[in-house]
Amino acid sequence: GRFRCSYMLTGLSLARSAAEYAHTSRKLVNGLKYTVPRSPLTKLTKTELEYCRLDVVALGEVLQYYREKYGGLYRIPYTLTGELRKEIKARLPFHEKLWIARHTPKTKMFMLLSSAFQGGIARANYFFSGNIIRGVSSGDIASSYPTVLCAFKYPVNTWLYVDSDTAELLDPEKWGVLFHVKLYGVKSTRMNRYLMWSKYITRCPAVDATLDNGRIIECDWIEIAITNIDWKIIKECYTFEKVEYIECYKSKLDYLPREILDHILELYENKTSLKGIKDKEDLYRKSKSMINSYYGCCAQSPLSNNTEFRDNEWHTIPLTEAFIEAELEKKRKSRSNCFLYAVGVWCTAYARKRLFQDVVLKIDTPPEGLDFSAIYYDTDSCKARESGSFKAAREASNRDIDNRLKAMCDHYGFDFERTRPKDKGGIRHPLGYWELEGKNAAKGEPEYSEFKTLGSKRYAYRLQSDGGVYITIAGVSSKYGRKALHNDLRNFKKNMVFDYNCSGKQTAVYKDDQEDFTFKDIDGNMYTSHQRHGIVLMGAEYNLTIDPMYQEIWGEISNEK
């Protein structure tokens, strides 16, 4: 058997895992300081000993929970999505597994699908970057990925070559189309850009491109693989001097298997209706973790890990066509696959459509003025000043998802009310609806009294509800990082440095040739270490640098110096 990692299995810290899964024990928090010098001669206090003991006991109880659940150590899955895969495999009938295996793509098709795959779109509107914006609302989609898995159809049939003229005419409600194109003289026509510079097959030199935080404003040429969902959005946002169609492929769309959609609806119902109900915590917890794992399960690459350990060394296996085809052939012979790879590609494309095309583009240049266009958006949320245009875009998207879910329910004979479960207070929560966040959103109050962004995954805000200042910065602890702003968003600016006390960031330093050294421990004992190998976690600072090209774009608008 192989080792199991409790973090990969639960996705939680040990403290959270113990609180969720341990029968009686709980991990102590802050019971041991890691920054003081200790040696084998150091005496541990009772609190420190109890901290160490409960680490082991709590982890043992978490392990016991999974052993009892799966009937043995070696039956425990390796990851959180592995738990979901076990459940899906048990539900899917044999003929569905056979269909998935037989429709595993050939190498060339897989490589094009892999090039077309993108995750969620996260971006700040350069027009607002660096400025404090007042009275900002935040719209959020309820369970975005599970929604599009239920509401939309997917390319689950054989991929067939099609000429470009025919491909452009195919109905996107009936056909999934993969375009392999080369675009020349690319120019953005919108404030909010869509094309990613990093997603390409080949492209012009970077010196011949102008970028907006990784999104293309203009470039000489770029060769890409894209879904017909993305292609429609791109044509709405860009002009081209020339489009060269290299190849196009089509696949008939269909709903995902009944058993999978029934399971998603069941999980969403449980997640919504059981929240906060005593004695239902286990089912609520399981439902929430599983529905959140569905995206990871459908977006998983069919390729196995291309590293192996031999001769006491790790070796990387080159991703040659022969290796890829051998891995895909294994999938064709397997009956344990849950999704075709194209499902993950189209899942994220549909989610981007609901965010970018349905809402962001609708308020790109709204009649209320540029001050009411999208300020910041990320995967399943959009932040903007509330306006008639913003509200109308959300409501139109909600009506569209209602119609799609009704069509799916009619197709499979599901009760449509399953997509609109009630919480314990009797309030309905329709699957996939855009809803305004904030305690007083129903009264029309914005969630943020102040909001400021410096780019993707970098923003700070003051909540309307409690007046507190908070941050969201990739690489910085939200808990400690907010202290560096000293309750003033004007302190959130380019080149700001979060020291290790505020960043919450740690860097691992490895030593494989450590010399003997003598040190004094916390008790005053002198100790000589002869360890050759070691690792230390050191506090690290975080510098809020801004890409020069991005700064050049918004520097003319922002008053920040």
Side-chain angles (χ1 to χ4, degrees):
R2 288 160 57 185
F3 287 109
R4 267 49 169 189
C5 171
S6 62
Y7 178 73
M8 292 182 68
L9 182 59
T10 65
L12 304 172
S13 66
L14 181 55
R16 286 283 308 281
S17 293
E20 295 281 356
Y21 301 110
H23 297 300
T24 57
S25 300
R26 294 290 182 268
K27 171 182 165 57
L28 287 183
V29 178
N30 300 325
L32 189 69
K33 291 184 178 180
Y34 288 91
T35 54
V36 299
R38 293 188 180 89
S39 74
L41 304 178
T42 308
K43 292 183 178 179
L44 298 181
T45 66
K46 288 184 178 180
T47 300
E48 291 170 336
L49 284 169
E50 185 66 1
Y51 180 95
C52 298
R53 186 186 74 83
L54 286 177
D55 267 13
V56 178
V57 173
L59 185 58
E61 289 192 11
V62 172
L63 174 62
Q64 186 60 30
Y65 168 85
Y66 281 99
R67 291 184 71 166
E68 292 174 0
K69 180 177 180 178
Y70 290 103
L73 179 63
Y74 296 114
R75 293 180 180 178
I76 299 175
Y78 296 113
T79 64
L80 192 58
T81 54
E83 267 204 284
L84 177 60
R85 277 192 291 273
K86 277 181 174 285
E87 183 73 25
I88 294 174
K89 289 172 190 175
R91 289 171 177 255
L92 274 181
F94 179 77
H95 72 272
E96 291 287 5
K97 297 175 185 176
L98 188 62
W99 181 272
I100 293 171
R102 287 178 174 175
H103 288 80
T104 298
K106 293 290 186 180
T107 300
K108 182 179 180 180
M109 198 67 223
F110 167 75
M111 293 176 75
L112 284 175
L113 286 167
S114 184
S115 292
F117 177 81
Q118 299 181 43
I121 182 170
R123 209 184 146 272
N125 187 336
Y126 74 93
F127 182 77
F128 298 100
S129 289
N131 289 300
I132 296 175
I133 314 300
R134 304 188 188 282
V136 176
S137 295
S138 180
D140 180 77
I141 301 174
S143 298
S144 178
Y145 288 136
T147 298
V148 296
L149 287 173
C150 289
F152 289 85
K153 295 181 179 180
Y154 288 83
V156 292
N157 293 281
T158 303
W159 286 97
L160 304 170
Y161 177 83
V162 61
D163 65 84
S164 60
D165 290 338
T166 303
E168 288 284 12
L169 296 174
L170 290 172
D171 185 351
E173 298 294 334
K174 296 179 179 179
W175 294 93
V177 183
L178 196 63
F179 289 92
H180 179 189
V181 295
K182 196 169 184 179
L183 309 175
Y184 296 87
V186 181
K187 287 189 176 181
S188 170
T189 59
R190 300 298 192 111
M191 288 178 60
N192 292 283
R193 283 72 188 230
Y194 191 77
L195 268 172
M196 291 180 65
W197 178 244
S198 61
K199 291 296 294 184
Y200 67 96
I201 296 174
T202 59
R203 67 186 183 189
C204 65
V207 69
D208 297 323
T210 304
L211 306 180
D212 174 1
N213 209 201
R215 303 276 166 176
I216 297 173
I217 298 177
E218 60 181 24
C219 70
D220 281 4
W221 61 269
I222 187 168
E223 180 186 349
I224 54 175
I226 44 175
T227 70
N228 52 341
I229 308 302
D230 291 304
W231 184 220
K232 184 177 180 181
I233 299 172
I234 290 167
K235 287 188 290 185
E236 201 174 330
C237 301
Y238 291 86
T239 59
F240 319 102
E241 292 177 4
K242 176 185 173 184
V243 177
E244 178 186 341
Y245 293 89
I246 298 172
E247 54 190 337
C248 306
Y249 295 90
K250 67 177 183 178
S251 174
K252 188 76 172 175
L253 298 179
D254 205 348
Y255 289 115
L256 296 180
R258 175 191 177 91
E259 294 76 15
I260 286 178
L261 301 190
D262 181 53
H263 188 218
I264 293 175
L265 293 179
E266 176 188 317
L267 295 175
Y268 185 68
E269 288 176 286
N270 290 340
K271 172 191 169 185
T272 304
S273 62
L274 302 181
K275 184 176 182 179
I277 296 181
K278 194 175 182 181
D279 300 327
K280 296 291 184 181
E281 292 93 343
D282 283 349
L283 184 54
Y284 166 76
R285 183 172 57 241
K286 176 184 176 182
S287 299
K288 183 179 179 181
S289 66
M290 278 199 169
I291 199 170
N292 291 340
S293 298
Y294 249 99
Y295 165 68
C297 193
C298 78
Q300 185 182 31
S301 170
L303 300 186
S304 301
N305 197 335
N306 66 323
T307 57
E308 62 180 15
F309 188 76
R310 64 175 187 272
D311 302 327
N312 291 321
E313 289 185 352
W314 286 103
H315 298 270
T316 300
I317 304 170
L319 284 174
T320 61
E321 287 193 24
F323 172 79
I324 293 172
E325 182 55 35
E327 290 296 304
L328 294 175
E329 184 60 28
K330 292 179 186 176
K331 297 298 180 182
R332 295 186 195 104
K333 294 178 180 179
S334 172
R335 300 294 179 265
S336 62
N337 304 317
C338 299
F339 291 95
L340 287 166
Y341 184 60
V343 171
V345 179
W346 255 254
C347 174
T348 55
Y350 286 137
R352 288 192 299 275
K353 171 200 175 299
R354 293 205 66 214
L355 171 65
F356 195 84
Q357 190 176 42
D358 287 6
V359 174
V360 173
L361 286 186
K362 293 295 189 296
I363 58 172
D364 188 72
T365 51
E368 294 88 352
L370 293 181
D371 285 348
F372 290 89
S373 61
I375 298 169
Y376 184 90
Y377 44 94
D378 186 350
T379 309
D380 59 0
S381 67
C382 179
K383 305 182 191 304
R385 285 192 175 112
E386 181 67 329
S387 65
S389 298
F390 190 22
K391 182 179 180 181
R394 298 194 309 269
E395 290 177 346
S397 185
N398 289 346
R399 287 193 297 272
D400 177 67
I401 213 66
D402 261 353
N403 292 334
R404 292 181 182 279
L405 287 172
K406 284 177 183 176
M408 181 276 294
C409 288
D410 288 345
H411 178 80
Y412 279 128
F414 294 147
D415 182 355
F416 177 64
E417 292 303 307
R418 294 183 63 190
T419 71
R420 309 159 62 81
K422 297 178 181 179
D423 62 21
K424 68 175 185 177
I427 299 173
R428 288 198 180 277
H429 295 271
L431 177 63
Y433 260 39
W434 278 94
E435 296 177 340
L436 285 183
E437 297 179 300
K439 292 183 178 180
N440 298 314
K443 299 179 182 178
E445 291 185 11
E447 183 174 22
Y448 312 121
S449 57
E450 295 179 340
F451 185 90
K452 184 176 183 180
T453 180
L454 297 176
S456 298
K457 307 290 186 182
R458 293 175 166 188
Y459 59 87
Y461 54 90
R462 186 183 301 279
L463 281 179
Q464 182 85 20
S465 57
D466 64 11
V469 167
Y470 302 87
I471 64 166
T472 296
I473 305 173
V476 175
S477 165
S478 57
K479 179 180 178 181
Y480 300 109
R482 57 184 291 226
K483 299 176 182 177
L485 271 61
H486 303 292
N487 202 37
D488 190 341
L489 262 63
R490 289 175 297 180
N491 294 325
F492 182 61
K493 54 190 176 181
K494 64 181 180 180
N495 298 324
M496 178 182 181
V497 176
F498 293 83
D499 64 28
Y500 66 88
N501 289 316
C502 290
S503 71
K505 188 178 176 69
Q506 292 185 316
T507 297
V509 179
Y510 298 85
K511 293 288 287 184
D512 289 322
D513 54 353
Q514 196 165 256
E515 297 180 357
D516 291 355
F517 69 97
T518 302
F519 67 97
K520 182 186 291 187
D521 70 11
I522 191 174
D523 293 338
N525 302 307
M526 299 303 297
Y527 181 79
T528 300
S529 172
H530 305 287
Q531 292 288 338
R532 298 276 77 84
H533 309 282
I535 178 174
V536 62
L537 288 174
M538 299 178 62
E541 67 178 26
Y542 180 91
N543 192 335
L544 197 62
T545 57
I546 304 294
D547 177 71
M549 186 179 291
Y550 185 55
Q551 170 63 47
E552 185 178 339
I553 293 166
W554 62 263
E556 298 176 3
I557 298 173
S558 173
N559 295 320
E560 181 172 319
K561 302 298 181 186

